[in-house]
Every structure is written in C-alpha cells, then in structure tokens.
Amino acid sequence: SEIREHLLALLIEHADQFVSGEEISRQLGCTRTAIWKHIDELRKAGYEIEARPKAGYCLRYQPDRIAPEEIKALLSTRRFGHAIHYVESVDSTQWLAHQGVRSGAKEGALFLADEQTQGRGRMGRKWHSPPRSGIWMSLLLQPQIPLNLAPQLTLMASVGVTRAIRRETGLPVTIKWPNDLLIDGKKVCGILTELRGEQDQIHYVVLGIGMNVNTPAASFPEDLKTIATSLAAESGRTYRRAKLIAAILEELEHVYDLYLTEGFEPIRHSWESFACMLGQSVTAHTPQGPRQGIARGLHASGALLLETDEGVVVPVYSADIRQV
Ligand code: BTX
C-alpha cells in the first residue's frame, strides 16, 4: 500500500536510527494503530524493525528485496523507474515490457523479476536467471531517433551500466564489444535491446539487463562456470540489488539524456575508455565468416573498427569477438 511504501521509505532514510511514532503519524497522516499494523506487515516480509517505548521504530535489517518501494526509496531520477512493475517469477522481463507497452506503459517504465524461467540472450541464446541472486530487468525507452541509429542505444546502455557498477562496487568492469560487461574476462552482465518500429521510426525499445549480483561462483551451471562471474564472486561481499538498480537507473537516465542532447560522440568516448580489447588482436566471427585484426575503436555508427593485416580499417557490424 502507499502508506506502507512511505513508512518504509522513512525508516530506510533513518536506518539504524529511531523515528518516533509521533513523527511517523505526522508525516504519513495516519494513526498509531495503523502504523503498528504496517510495521507488522513489514516484519512478515522479512524486515527487522526494533520498537522501543518513547523512542519509536528503528530499521535494523532489510532483506534483499527488489519490490518497487525498495527501489523508489533510493531513486533520484526524473523519469526512469517511476513506474515499476515487479513480479516474483516470469518467463522473461522482456515479455513483461512488451505486454506493458500494450497496456499504456510510458518511457522509463521498469519491468523486473526475482527470477526468469526463460531469460533470453541475443540471437536466441539463453540467459541463466536464478531466483533472487541477480538483477533481471527491462527498461522501456521511446527515443525519437531514426531506426538505423538503434545500435547506438545498446552501446549507450553498456556505458551507463558500467558506470553504475563501478560506482557502487569499485570493481574493474570493462566492456567487450558490443555489450558484454566483463570482470577479469568473465561475463558479469549482458544487455539485450529489442525494438519495434515501422518505416524509419522507432516505436519503442526494450532494454534488457541481466546482471549476476550475489550468485556464488560454485552455483553457476557447468557450461557457465569458466565464462561467467558475479559481483559477489569477484569481491567477496554481497550487494543490495535495490541499491544497484537505483544506481543503474540514475546512470542510464544521465547517459540517455546526454545522448539525446549531444549525440553519440560523448558516449563513443566513454565507451572506448571502458573497452577491454582495444589495441589487441582479435577474431571477429561475423555471419560472413571469421575476420582477423586489431580492434581499434568504435565507429560513429556503433560498429567496431578492425584493422586488418593489410592495414585497412574496416567496420564490423555484427560479430562475436574473441581475443587471439
Ligand atoms: P548474449 O547472447 O550476449 O549472451 C548469452 C550467452 O551468455 C549464453 O549463450 C551463455 O553462454 C552466457 N550466459 C547465459 N547466462 C549467463 C549469465 N547469467 N551470466 C553470464 N553469462 C551467461 C546477453 O546475451 C543479453 C542477456 C540479457 C538478459 C536480460 S535479463 C532481463 C531481460 N530479460 C530477458 O529475457 N533477457 C534480458
């Protein structure tokens, strides 16, 4: 309920401090009895709230929940994440978002779940999304840009998410073209952009972000153990997902606004500063076959610039990149 959301926001704001019952009822405009009822519900949801006569209530422990009120209490964006659609389990949050558009969702609407049973990657691949250990979310964007610029959105998103992880964890995340986020060569986050458009105009874009947060290294399935990692596995501590989500939304809104006002150039620079293979020999596995070369940078179109053995720089639009 709205009152419970307010109450929780108030307690989070004063975490580890007591807030008096009087103060709470003044701010929420409800009775002491009503507060007690809401406190009881929060406790049932896993919050530890200490109550002391005269002193009031004090939040001692928050479970790692990603319900809307958890995220909103931490959010300072202007539009991203103001509408949040949360479910415990879903086949894919991408699907939730496409559904959401049909029922009138607006730019910045966020769709997220604690678990995905059929999380998807690019080109029909699967995305492992076990319950509560990661962030599985989809953000709705409606940029007024021509269709052919859409690949820039994925690159923009990888810059925003990289900034958010670095800011919240200090971990050395890098970007592998086009949009894999790696720590020490292992994938910690994947980004999937799906768009709907007609003629030359984008109708909307669903930006899907999958991030391994508290997944223990040993719990990845066999085929992912050598290629995947999580923030917790890299740092030896756990993270509050709601805090990370708020940071991601903030950084994304910032980089998106920058993109809409100043174009791709500033994004291109940031992307290159986070990229992990520039100056190195790579093989680009393109739909037309493999190509060898040195990764040189990002073209204004979003393509990867590859310098071939003959010294010619060619743009690569679609490929899996491997280091040689
Ligand atoms: P991708 O095609 O680049 O990566 C998929 C590949 O990554 C898989 O084939 C597998 O090798 C590996 N992989 C699968 N699961 C994981 C994992 N949890 N961690 C690391 N590596 C993994 C990347 O696609 C885009 C992924 C987007 C996922 C988000 S989650 C929210 C939204 N909903 C949804 O269904 N997809 C997006």
Side-chain angles (χ1 to χ4, degrees), residues 80 107-108 139-143 153 156 203-207 256:
F80 284 12
E107 175 157 276
L139 182 70
L140 176 62
L141 299 179
Q142 296 175 305
L153 293 170
M156 173 211 76
H203 178 33
Y204 69 87
V205 173
V206 175
L207 185 66
Y256 183 64

Side-chain angles (χ1 to χ4, degrees), residues 11-223:
L11 291 174
I12 291 174
E13 197 185 316
H14 297 89
D16 282 318
Q17 298 160 33
F18 280 90
V19 191
S20 70
E22 195 185 342
E23 176 69 12
I24 297 175
S25 56
R26 197 179 57 79
Q27 292 218 16
L28 271 55
C30 64
T31 65
R32 301 286 195 101
T33 327
I35 295 170
W36 178 252
K37 211 185 76 200
H38 290 299
I39 293 278
D40 198 44
E41 281 172 29
L42 286 173
R43 283 178 172 156
K44 281 185 187 138
Y47 293 86
E48 279 169 31
I49 299 163
E50 191 180 335
R52 257 190 224 161
K54 297 207 182 78
Y57 300 98
C58 172
L59 182 62
R60 291 297 186 195
Y61 171 80
Q62 313 174 46
D64 184 30
R65 290 176 69 236
I66 52 167
E69 61 267 28
E70 290 279 347
I71 297 165
K72 285 185 186 171
L74 302 165
L75 204 59
S76 67
T77 55
R78 280 182 298 114
R79 37 196 217 294
F80 284 12
H82 284 226
I84 300 181
H85 306 269
Y86 161 82
V87 292
E88 229 174 84
S89 177
V90 71
D91 47 6
S92 162
T93 58
Q94 294 293 102
W95 178 83
L96 269 188
H98 289 293
Q99 285 285 104
V101 172
R102 281 190 279 277
S103 31
K106 296 278 177 321
E107 175 157 276
L110 183 71
F111 301 83
L112 79 169
D114 263 312
E115 173 191 35
Q116 294 185 118
T117 54
Q118 290 178 55
R120 10 187 238 265
R122 293 173 301 149
M123 298 174 269
R125 292 190 285 237
K126 292 203 168 75
W127 187 258
H128 177 61
S129 323
R132 291 178 300 280
S133 62
I135 293 171
W136 329 120
M137 69 184 216
S138 301
L139 182 70
L140 176 62
L141 299 179
Q142 296 175 305
Q144 306 286 313
I145 58 167
L147 212 55
N148 65 317
L149 296 185
Q152 297 181 341
L153 293 170
T154 314
L155 299 156
M156 173 211 76
S158 52
V159 167
V161 178
T162 299
R163 284 209 183 119
I165 304 180
R166 287 187 172 206
R167 173 180 126 191
E168 290 300 308
T169 70
L171 290 166
V173 190
T174 58
I175 311 175
K176 184 185 141 194
W177 188 86
N179 57 349
D180 280 351
L181 270 47
L182 310 180
I183 302 178
D184 242 353
K186 288 179 166 186
K187 187 138 118 188
V188 70
C189 175
I191 297 172
L192 172 72
T193 21
E194 292 179 327
L195 73 102
R196 296 285 184 271
E198 56 207 29
Q199 274 134 22
D200 192 36
Q201 209 52 47
I202 291 180
H203 178 33
Y204 69 87
V205 173
V206 175
L207 185 66
I209 297 167
M211 189 185 298
N212 307 315
V213 179
N214 296 323
T215 329
S219 75
F220 281 109
E222 278 313 313
D223 58 325

